[in-house]
Amino acid sequence: MKDYIALASKGYHEWWRYLVGAFLIFIIWQVGSIPFLAAVTYKLMAEGNGISEIGNYEVQMGTLDSNLTFFLMLFSFAVGFFGVWLIVRFLHNQKFKDLLTTRAKFDWKRVAFGFSIVGFFIVIMTILDYVINPDDYLWNFKWDQFIILAIIGIIMVPIQATFEELYFRGYFMQGLGVIFKNRWLPLIATSLGFGLLHLGNPEVGKLGYIIMVSYIGTGFLLGIMALMDEGLELSIGYHAGNNLITALLVTADWTAFQTESILIYTEEPMVGFDVFFPVLIVYPIYLLVMAKVYKWKNWKSKLFGKVILPESTR
């Protein structure tokens, strides 16, 4: 079976299971946030401060050591990852591999390619901007802190990225696909959902809702990767590469991840064509390169065609 979405039909795929499963995964994911909130609360109380602003993002980010904050934020995604496995295995009786790929084995080379293509672009663009606008950055490299950050990032960021891919491009995409028997609805719904997931990010508060173009556009990019390549390896690699390289290389006081990165961007961000440039120019280039490397064909049917389930599973 080469249809990634149709793989869900090998397990229990009634609509109510996806409704219940999506809710339970979300709850399990949020339970993973308890250690972070508990640590922040304990620190505030130990310092004699009130905890009335515990829900304030700036308070959360500034209370604990940045590396500890980074780890505890990512820990919730590790718990969410376990939640996906639990629901897929026991509520749907589906092989976990079938949530990942149509290939006989998970393709780590594809993960590495997805990671490399975005990682290379981020590094090159950051170096160029640093050379052209050095006053916009603060050199922040501290060996002891950076090594800890790197260890946490290398272990935890791929888990975070994989969870989000499993939840959106995996669980939701397969579920909507087998329920509605098409591909376009899962692609649109998961891309919009992925964008809305980031609605509470501090970048939105700083730059305004226009930044949602980037988040939703990235959702479409990752969704197209999954559908055209019939698996999540490329999207997992891309997602992990984008998040990890960014976390290690550059941060700012208005970004979701505030880390002990090599550089700190100190300028006030401005909304311009740079919001649209990746979505309109860079992302299509990524897709064309991947299409060439992996010989993607039948774009219309893979992105907008019907999902045909085996007779025995309908």
Side-chain angles (χ1 to χ4, degrees), residues 3-9 12-22 92 94 99 165-194 220 223 227 303-309:
D3 187 331
Y4 172 67
I5 288 179
L7 283 178
S9 67
Y12 301 136
H13 55 279
E14 296 88 349
W15 67 268
W16 65 265
R17 293 181 186 272
Y18 283 99
L19 185 63
V20 172
H92 295 274
Q94 180 183 0
L99 192 67
E165 292 309 303
L166 288 171
Y167 197 30
F168 286 95
R169 260 65 62 179
Y171 192 76
F172 276 118
M173 185 167 279
Q174 285 191 345
L176 290 170
V178 296
I179 291 169
F180 293 99
K181 308 296 191 300
N182 66 55
R183 290 167 167 260
W184 63 266
L185 179 61
L187 175 60
I188 294 173
T190 57
S191 300
L192 291 174
F194 180 76
F220 273 102
L227 290 176
L303 297 181
F304 305 103
K306 294 181 179 180
V307 174
I308 301 175
L309 306 182

Side-chain angles (χ1 to χ4, degrees), residues 77-124:
F77 295 94
V79 176
F81 182 98
F82 172 73
V84 173
W85 176 85
L86 198 68
I87 295 303
V88 168
R89 176 67 183 85
F90 294 102
L91 182 61
H92 295 274
N93 194 32
Q94 180 183 0
K95 290 182 180 179
F96 193 64
K97 196 276 295 180
D98 287 343
L99 192 67
L100 289 164
T101 185
T102 57
R103 284 165 275 280
K105 293 182 179 180
F106 188 75
D107 191 343
W108 289 100
K109 290 183 179 179
R110 275 177 157 83
V111 176
F113 185 82
F115 186 100
S116 300
I117 195 171
V118 67
F120 178 78
F121 177 78
I122 292 172
V123 170
I124 293 300

Side-chain angles (χ1 to χ4, degrees), residues 193-226:
F194 180 76
L196 293 174
L197 172 70
H198 297 83
L199 196 59
N201 279 24
E203 292 93 335
V204 178
K206 189 72 174 181
L207 297 172
Y209 291 114
I210 190 66
I211 193 64
M212 296 302 293
V213 170
S214 176
Y215 291 131
I216 294 173
T218 300
F220 273 102
L221 171 69
L222 296 169
I224 292 170
M225 286 182 192

